[in-house]
Amino acid sequence: KEIACEKDMKGLRVLVTAGPTMEAMDPVRYITNHSTGKMGYAIARNCMLRGADVTLVTGQTSIEKPRFVNIVPIESAREMFEEVTGRAPEQDIIIKAAAVADYRPQTVSDEKVKKSGDHMTLELEKTDDILKYLGEHKKEGQFLCGFSMETEHMLENSRAKLKKKNLDMIVANNLKVPGAGFGVDTNVVTIITAQGVTELPLQSKDAVAGHIADAIAGK
Ligand code: CTP
């Protein structure tokens, strides 16, 4: 269902990332994570309803794509890096809700890896930190919002990321709080800016998306 709302993002270009990345080790197998894309999709839809011109760079998900949004599908962290950084200079607002792999298999075998022995070791290498790159190349007036998933020391770690990555806002959640994080339709988040910290109560991801967009639009 579509709902009517104030067009307070009219004319703004907003790029949202969502979902997991997939890092191949051979033609059969890959490393991924539990992200469903629900939070990022809800944000993309909310910004679209407010009148923004929205691009959604998304990993593979099984949820319905938001309408009236420019969808850019990707698989790996490297593909997400290319698609996001290539579009970043023309964006007014960038919101990075995707769960990007921090490491990927160092070599990707062309052939299926055959089993041998009782143990195997997979060498991993670091992926590029997209959010950090965006912070380093942020243009005048651009608004950059990151996400932070933590299982401990949520506020301290998230504040450190806000500074280190040159963000305007970070949306933090503690995975251990019931009703927060992966898979569920609800979330419990804390919005952190240089000005202050706002803890939001448990609510639907759609409602959380509205609060995040409100905070970005300065409401
Ligand atoms: N992120 C990114 N590129 C990566 C890894 C993460 O852009 N290669 C972004 C995510 O989209 C998210 C934010 O960084 O917006 C925070 O991700 P998170 O994994 O919580 O934090 P990290 O900075 O990777 O730190 P750590 O893994 O130590 O918690």
Side-chain angles (χ1 to χ4, degrees), residues 21-32 75-76 104-116 120 122 124:
T21 60
M22 289 162 57
E23 308 299 330
M25 69 171 270
D26 71 11
V28 182
R29 304 159 177 117
Y30 57 84
I31 299 173
T32 189
E75 285 189 354
S76 65
R104 65 174 156 245
Q106 194 165 357
T107 52
V108 183
S109 170
D110 286 340
E111 308 301 334
K112 184 185 168 199
V113 175
K114 303 297 286 180
K115 65 176 162 293
S116 66
M120 87 165 273
L122 186 61
L124 303 177

Side-chain angles (χ1 to χ4, degrees), residues 34-43 46 63 147 149 173 179-189 202-212:
H34 289 296
S35 172
T36 58
K38 282 180 182 168
M39 194 63 250
Y41 279 40
I43 293 169
N46 191 280
I63 60 173
F147 272 68
M149 271 203 165
N173 60 7
F182 291 130
V184 291
D185 286 322
T186 56
N187 212 350
V188 184
V189 308
L202 174 80
Q203 56 200 304
S204 71
K205 284 183 176 169
D206 284 335
V208 172
H211 284 291
I212 293 170

Side-chain angles (χ1 to χ4, degrees), residues 54-185:
V54 181
T55 299
L56 176 61
V57 179
T58 173
Q60 263 190 27
T61 68
S62 57
I63 60 173
E64 201 184 319
K65 303 265 182 292
R67 300 173 66 201
F68 313 119
V69 160
N70 173 27
I71 305 276
V72 180
I74 56 92
E75 285 189 354
S76 65
R78 185 174 277 150
E79 285 170 15
M80 182 169 279
F81 183 91
E82 297 301 327
E83 299 295 352
V84 170
T85 58
R87 289 173 170 78
E90 68 236 27
Q91 304 301 324
D92 298 298
I93 299 165
I94 303 178
I95 305 166
K96 285 233 62 214
V100 185
D102 289 324
Y103 293 89
R104 65 174 156 245
Q106 194 165 357
T107 52
V108 183
S109 170
D110 286 340
E111 308 301 334
K112 184 185 168 199
V113 175
K114 303 297 286 180
K115 65 176 162 293
S116 66
D118 288 339
H119 302 274
M120 87 165 273
T121 304
L122 186 61
E123 291 284 348
L124 303 177
E125 65 181 12
K126 254 221 179 100
T127 59
D128 292 312
D129 190 326
I130 305 167
L131 195 54
K132 187 155 166 278
Y133 178 97
L134 294 174
E136 285 164 358
H137 296 82
K138 192 161 66 174
K139 62 161 206 196
E140 186 71 26
Q142 193 175 54
F143 192 100
L144 186 54
C145 173
F147 272 68
S148 175
M149 271 203 165
E150 304 288 349
T151 56
E152 53 181 5
H153 311 303
M154 185 187 82
L155 266 187
E156 303 91 282
N157 289 346
S158 304
R159 277 216 188 90
K161 281 180 203 172
L162 181 80
K163 271 203 147 166
K164 200 177 95 196
K165 301 192 186 186
N166 191 25
L167 310 178
D168 299 287
M169 179 183 288
I170 192 156
V171 180
N173 60 7
N174 184 335
L175 272 186
K176 288 189 172 165
V177 172
F182 291 130
V184 291
D185 286 322

Side-chain angles (χ1 to χ4, degrees), residues 189-193 196-200 215:
V189 308
T190 301
I191 297 179
I192 304 165
T193 65
V197 172
T198 311
E199 278 183 50
L200 298 180

